[in-house]
Amino acid sequence: MAKKKIDLICYVEEKIRPYTLNEKGKSSLKKFETDYGTDLIIECVDTSFSNYIRYDANGKITKDSVENFINKIGGIAYNKNLSPVEAKVRHVLNIVKTNFNYYDQNIARSLLNRYIKSLKEKDYTELDLIRDFDSELIPMIQECRNWSDWFQRMEQWEQEINNWDNKRNETEVNYTDCILPTTLFENCPTYIAKVCKQINCSFDNNLFDCTAVMMRRLLEILLILTFQKFDIENEILNQDGTCHIVLDKIIKNAQNSKIINLSASSKKDMEKYKTLGNFSAHKIWYNCTEPDIRTNILHFRVLIEELMYKSAIKE
């Protein structure tokens, strides 16, 4: 049975009673409907209504909020129509603008466009780019002291990326499948595969503190990606939404999440690898030993594989 077409004007006026749309408002909505399609605009109307409509003491919709609600629909539609990468770029630009006293929109966008171009030339997919922004670029912005610091780092990163050798055979790094089998990560995004290789390589070379720290890092990355996959990343962001909360709290949220629904063993084991990595990174008189790692290899592998599937790194 065909889906009944919704009359957009009637839909909006039903929401804002006793107010009605003037001719300018109707014309704007019709243009949005032509540009973006009825379904998307209906979704944007609902989003704008829930975010911007306000009520007076008598529970009646205020006129000012109705005007604000109508004015926001076009911007919401534009943002929803962006590609995932462009949406992420706009998010990053907002972070830069918020974090630094000085801000130049044109220069910031140019830096990001060049950064993206460099990564694409190294065969980064859109998914790789988005994950790079989340795991590398945004944390770097949070570390920068000011605009100049960020500007210099972006130029340095661009230069480093451009100097990458696409033909370099990374399998020449000597490592065995001592902790994570190559078949587990060989088709994963580059930045995930590199962390997995470093875990194996450091263990092979008796760098056990390095192994523990990288195991912790992989756990944190995959947990963040899992929250993103289920569209609940807001649960692990700080109050202003600019960075992720500490791993300890991320783990607790994951353990309690009915949406993610981790297995009992994974819920239990996450604390173990967080602690192991923390000890190697922060305990002054502690040095990780081979038994510290070896006794936990199987459970770590099981945990990482589950998170790879949960985060859709593997399908």
Side-chain angles (χ1 to χ4, degrees):
M1 182 176 178
K3 183 179 178 181
K4 184 178 179 181
K5 181 176 175 62
I6 296 175
D7 186 305
L8 181 61
I9 304 300
C10 292
Y11 184 79
V12 172
E13 290 191 327
E14 182 69 25
K15 282 181 169 290
I16 62 174
R17 284 183 179 179
Y19 302 102
T20 58
L21 294 167
N22 58 26
E23 290 305 313
K24 181 180 178 181
K26 291 178 180 179
S27 176
S28 295
L29 283 177
K30 288 178 181 177
K31 185 177 187 307
F32 295 152
E33 188 174 22
T34 300
D35 291 344
Y36 299 110
T38 304
D39 289 344
L40 178 60
I41 294 302
I42 291 294
E43 181 182 339
C44 296
V45 166
D46 292 341
T47 300
S48 186
F49 188 87
S50 63
N51 288 336
Y52 299 108
I53 287 295
R54 299 292 181 266
Y55 299 87
D56 61 21
N58 297 318
K60 295 182 179 179
I61 293 176
T62 65
K63 182 180 179 181
D64 287 345
S65 73
V66 169
E67 292 176 353
N68 196 29
F69 151 67
I70 298 298
N71 290 335
K72 295 292 185 181
I73 293 172
I76 294 171
Y78 175 80
N79 287 334
K80 284 182 176 290
N81 205 46
L82 293 173
S83 71
V85 170
E86 179 58 26
K88 186 64 70 174
V89 167
R90 288 169 66 88
H91 176 59
V92 169
L93 288 172
N94 285 332
I95 294 175
V96 174
K97 184 177 181 179
T98 301
N99 280 22
F100 308 135
N101 292 329
Y102 176 81
Y103 174 74
D104 187 305
Q105 172 85 9
N106 292 332
I107 293 176
R109 179 168 281 278
S110 175
L111 286 169
L112 289 174
N113 287 343
R114 283 159 40 195
Y115 180 71
I116 290 170
K117 181 175 181 291
S118 295
L119 289 175
K120 283 184 174 179
E121 289 175 352
K122 304 303 177 182
D123 299 324
Y124 268 54
T125 65
E126 284 214 346
L127 183 59
D128 289 335
L129 289 171
I130 291 170
R131 287 170 172 164
D132 178 88
F133 273 42
D134 288 331
S135 64
E136 302 291 342
L137 184 60
I138 292 176
M140 181 268 278
I141 295 171
Q142 305 297 339
E143 295 173 359
C144 291
R145 300 183 302 275
N146 50 46
W147 166 271
S148 296
D149 187 15
W150 179 67
F151 181 92
Q152 291 171 4
R153 288 209 202 182
M154 286 298 294
E155 290 204 317
Q156 179 184 351
W157 278 24
E158 181 188 355
Q159 183 177 0
E160 289 175 357
I161 293 168
N162 291 336
N163 289 334
W164 288 354
D165 182 1
N166 278 337
K167 296 181 180 180
R168 181 170 60 89
N169 185 355
E170 292 189 6
T171 59
E172 292 177 0
V173 175
N174 294 321
Y175 69 89
T176 66
D177 291 356
C178 52
I179 296 180
L180 297 172
T182 302
T183 53
L184 180 63
F185 59 79
E186 61 184 348
N187 294 320
C188 289
T190 304
Y191 68 97
I192 295 289
K194 283 184 176 180
V195 174
C196 294
K197 290 176 183 179
Q198 289 178 68
I199 290 171
N200 286 345
C201 185
S202 58
F203 186 79
D204 280 338
N205 288 279
N206 300 326
L207 305 173
F208 303 121
D209 283 308
C210 299
T211 308
V213 171
M214 294 306 292
M215 289 168 72
R216 180 195 183 282
R217 182 185 176 193
L218 182 60
L219 169 63
E220 185 169 17
I221 291 171
L222 292 177
L223 280 172
I224 291 172
L225 294 178
T226 299
F227 276 89
Q228 291 174 350
K229 168 63 173 60
F230 286 96
D231 200 24
I232 52 173
E233 186 182 11
N234 61 300
E235 294 183 6
I236 57 170
L237 292 174
N238 63 359
Q239 288 186 345
D240 58 12
T242 56
C243 61
H244 296 108
I245 57 180
V246 296
L247 179 57
D248 184 59
K249 293 181 179 179
I250 293 176
I251 288 175
K252 285 182 171 60
N253 283 358
Q255 289 169 331
N256 295 327
S257 175
K258 294 181 180 179
I259 297 175
I260 296 176
N261 193 27
L262 290 173
S263 64
S265 62
S266 290
K267 289 179 180 179
K268 177 182 176 182
D269 290 336
M270 288 188 293
E271 293 280 356
K272 184 189 308 179
Y273 305 111
K274 178 210 72 175
T275 301
L276 190 63
N278 284 350
F279 280 178
S280 285
H282 304 298
K283 284 284 186 182
I284 297 175
W285 295 286
Y286 171 79
N287 287 117
C288 189
T289 64
E290 180 181 4
D292 294 337
I293 303 291
R294 187 171 294 282
T295 55
N296 292 299
I297 286 177
L298 177 59
H299 285 186
F300 181 72
R301 186 180 302 172
V302 171
L303 168 62
I304 293 304
E305 188 159 7
E306 179 175 349
L307 289 175
M308 282 185 172
Y309 282 109
K310 291 285 186 180
S311 63
I313 290 293
K314 290 182 69 70
E315 295 180 353

